[in-house]
Amino acid sequence: MTDVTIRQFADVVGLPVERLLVQLDEAGLAISGADDTISDQEKMQLLSFLRKSHGKSEPLGVSQPNKITLKRKTHSELRTTPSRGSAGKAKTVTVEVRKKRTYVKRADLVAEEKGRLDKEAEEKAKVLAEREEKLQAEKDALERAEKQAADKVEEEKQRAQERERKQEEETRKAEDNKRKEADVQARAEQESKQQKTSNERKQKRTAEDGKNTKYGRKELHVATSKGGRRKKKKRSRSSVSITPSGEHGFERPTEPVIHEVDIPETITAAELSQKMSVKGAEVIKTLMKMGVMATINQPLDQDTATLVVEELGHTAKPMAVQDVESELEALQALEITGEETVRPPVVTIMGHVDHGKTSLLDYIRESQVADGEAGGITQHIGAYHVETPKGVISFLDTPGHAAFTAMRARGAQVTDIVVLVVAADDGVKPQTIEAIQHSKAGNVPLIVAINKIDKPDADPDRAKTELSQQEVMPDDWGGDTQFVPVSAKTGEGVDNLLDAISLQAELLELKAVVDAPAHGVVIESSLDKGRGPVATVLVQQGTLHKGDTLICGQEFGRVRAMFDESGAAIESAGPSMPAAVLGLSGVPNAGDDAIVINDERKARAVAEFREHKQRDVKLARQQQARLDIFSTMGESKIENLNIVLKADVQGSAEALRDSLTKIIADEVVVKIVSSGVGGINETDANLAVASNAILIGFNVRADAAARRIVDESEIDMHYYSVIYDAIDQVKSAVSGMLSPEVTEEIIGLAEVRDVFRSPKLGAIAGCMVVDGAVKRSAPIRVLRDNVVIYEGELESLRRFKDDVNEVRAGTECGIGVKSYNDIKPGDQIEVFERVETARTVE
């Protein structure tokens, strides 16, 4: 209902306007005059006020009425006039008029209409759903019918094929039976014929014997029975047994026999042919088809043997570990049992070169290791056992140079926590990103130490921003990685770093078995002239005692002595403790497992087996490399830069070997003839002489015998103490062996204007030099319509009648081309030079 004025509302209600204004004022409605409008809400407020004023209050919980019905009675009089001609008087009739008006809220009407529309929509949706369901049911029924028809057709097809196959089998069986019956009948006829011939011969021989002897046949039998000549026994003749059904006893297999071949890491061609039950020539033939030239006793690697087995139709089963290794692992798994106790954490310091890793560790250890390193950079992986106010911590310091990737990966694999050192003034570098990848690959928690905050240009926020781009989010930015600002020079923040390490170690709950045979890993190894092979072992489980039998890779021995990182002798080393071990048979490889086996015979067997396996793998690789060289020999001439490498520790030798072999050039191949640990001896010098190699000593020197051979044979020997110096020198040597790059540069162009004939020189071209200069000694090309028709050299170059060596642009000259007289006007003479540029290796 729309708003009405007070005057209109008073007329409807039947009250005076003044009275209605008083009631509105008493109800609290701000109405000023009779022309003001009143809304439905104000009318309801007035009605509530009037009901309360008359003692009719609304019950609790009952809302205002949705509609109001107003009833009103009015009385009026109607006068009737008498009709004409009647003498009556006019009559007055009283008429009562009853009015009833109902006012309904607009919201209720809207809600009612909305409900009606929702009900209609729901009914329509229901009808549509029923219709869609019916259509889907019809569609499903149609699909089922089509599928059943297709299945029936397929079944009929299979039945027809089965019937055809059975008919073919029956036909083949019938033919086989006929053939077998014919064979049996022919064999029977042949035997019958042979029997008949034999009987005829026997009768004939009997008749002849009866004629030629004194006694007849009967007397001969009697004489024989009395002790005369005995009758010879008939020799039985072997024949093929035939069953009553006419089938032979042996049938040839119709399908090839497929063998499952176990392939170790190395296997000879003879062993492979024996496992597959084929001839060795078949294996050699298959290898030749694959491009591998091998002999019957040559060891093959696992991948090549697998391809050969699959090529011959058998199933290859590569063997991951050998029986000896399995037995060793099972024995070790049984021995590591007992009560676990809390062990110190193993923390690896990683980061880019010259970001302060060793300096930070020096401050914690209160030592000066960095001052003793060549070039001021760490080139060895070090293990330190440090007692801090926060507890005992084992630290591993890794080199930051790019060549020591394997060392950093090895450190990340054996550690519990990685401390990533980032310089506040340098930010994230390539080795920093590599350290993050190693920690993520090993699933090792990371703590970031932002070093060098004492420098004026330090910007820790820059390091945080760059590390967040590598998905290493600081904990104060909502991440899960602890960031600790430190200064290795002043010691600021070092205590906070130790607190972060201790907190992370408590969260990891690091435990290990103490009372058990030791199990660890070789961190670093070297060859000491006085003490022999020395291996730095980090114990992970159990306790390593002096006198234990230790096996490290393919080396073994009894522990004769142990030392800590400071050189002091120790009797045992528990979990998370590094120790320098003496007494091994050789220098083990860094990263090998170190296992205590209290059975020297078993340890010797395992070590010999591993050594034999490593030798076979090495021989197989050498053979493959030799074949690769043979295959590329016809394509290009490749030179080898042979190197004999000796280093102070196994990790440095490994890093140098990997870095030098990655130097790639088109014509030169860097080949490490031999690499080892220890000083350069007479054997190394003789090997360098035999292979025409360069001797490189990294932090080692040659003995007197080796120096004498080097001086006599005049071979190159170089000493290095910084790894990148050695790499740069080898790159320079490779660059010197590369042939120079030859390029052609056009230095002048002359156009032929006319041609003159000379009885002595032949055709002389009168030319105009249009670009550059024409030199007498430079080679030329003759161009006709921009196509090269001749390439040679000049015979003469004249300016008027004078011989000259050079004619520049804008000058006329006479040119005589050597051994070419077919030059014509309009031709061009191009003069060029060949420039040689030395090639380098990046």
Side-chain angles (χ1 to χ4, degrees), residues 263-410:
I263 302 177
E265 291 190 4
T266 59
I267 185 173
T268 63
E271 294 173 351
L272 193 61
S273 63
Q274 185 178 2
K275 288 187 176 184
M276 292 187 294
S277 299
V278 298
K279 294 181 180 180
E282 294 292 332
V283 177
I284 299 300
K285 186 188 298 183
T286 305
L287 286 170
M288 293 178 68
K289 290 181 180 178
M290 296 168 55
V292 178
M293 304 298 294
T295 60
I296 193 68
N297 294 321
Q298 181 175 323
L300 305 174
D301 57 3
Q302 195 175 63
D303 295 336
T304 305
T306 302
L307 293 175
V308 171
V309 171
E310 293 177 351
E311 184 70 21
L312 292 175
H314 299 279
T315 303
K317 183 180 179 183
M319 299 176 63
V321 292
Q322 300 293 336
D323 296 337
V324 181
E325 298 283 354
S326 302
E327 183 180 356
L328 178 62
E329 292 179 0
L331 181 63
Q332 183 66 19
L334 292 175
E335 289 180 349
I336 303 180
T337 56
E339 183 180 358
E340 293 184 344
T341 58
V342 179
R343 64 173 177 85
V346 179
V347 181
T348 300
I349 309 295
M350 303 179 73
H352 192 69
V353 64
D354 200 26
H355 275 202
K357 301 181 294 298
T358 307
S359 300
L360 179 61
L361 187 57
D362 288 345
Y363 186 88
I364 298 174
R365 298 177 57 226
E366 297 180 355
S367 63
Q368 297 294 328
V369 176
D371 295 341
E373 292 287 353
I377 64 171
T378 301
Q379 300 183 109
H380 305 83
I381 186 168
Y384 308 99
H385 171 225
V386 182
E387 294 184 2
T388 66
K390 309 300 179 182
V392 179
I393 302 175
S394 294
F395 286 98
L396 297 180
D397 186 16
T398 61
H401 192 270
F404 295 97
T405 301
M407 284 191 183
R408 288 190 293 274
R410 190 158 54 246

Side-chain angles (χ1 to χ4, degrees), residues 58 63 93 128 138 150 208 247 445 465 621 721 727 734 774 782:
E58 295 180 357
S63 61
V93 180
L128 290 175
E138 294 178 355
E208 291 178 354
E247 296 182 357
T465 303
R621 289 177 180 174
S721 58
I727 296 173
V734 173
V774 177
V782 179

Side-chain angles (χ1 to χ4, degrees), residues 41-58:
Q41 186 177 2
E42 291 173 342
K43 293 175 184 176
M44 294 300 298
Q45 187 176 352
L46 175 62
L47 178 61
S48 299
F49 170 73
L50 293 176
R51 289 177 63 87
K52 290 180 181 178
S53 62
H54 290 84
K56 295 182 180 180
S57 59
E58 295 180 357

Side-chain angles (χ1 to χ4, degrees), residues 73-77 94-97:
K73 294 182 181 180
T74 57
H75 297 274
S76 61
E77 294 180 351
T94 302
V95 180
E96 182 180 356
V97 180

Side-chain angles (χ1 to χ4, degrees), residues 2-19:
T2 59
D3 297 341
V4 296
T5 62
I6 298 298
R7 191 181 307 280
Q8 293 173 349
F9 187 59
D11 293 339
V12 173
V13 177
L15 290 177
V17 177
E18 293 76 8
R19 176 62 178 163

Side-chain angles (χ1 to χ4, degrees), residues 106-167:
R106 185 179 299 275
D108 295 338
L109 293 175
V110 173
E112 183 178 355
E113 183 66 19
K114 184 178 180 182
R116 184 180 62 79
L117 294 175
D118 291 343
K119 187 174 181 181
E120 292 179 357
E122 184 177 357
E123 290 178 355
K124 291 181 179 179
K126 187 175 180 181
V127 172
L128 290 175
E130 291 178 353
R131 187 177 301 171
E132 289 181 358
E133 184 177 358
K134 186 176 180 181
L135 291 174
Q136 186 64 30
E138 294 178 355
K139 184 178 180 181
D140 293 341
L142 182 60
E143 290 180 354
R144 284 197 300 270
E146 292 178 352
K147 186 176 181 181
Q148 290 177 359
D151 293 342
K152 188 174 182 181
V153 171
E154 185 65 25
E155 186 177 356
E156 290 293 336
K157 185 177 179 180
Q158 291 180 357
R159 288 179 180 176
Q161 292 177 354
E162 185 68 20
R163 285 195 298 270
E164 292 178 358
R165 188 179 63 80
K166 288 183 177 179
Q167 290 178 0

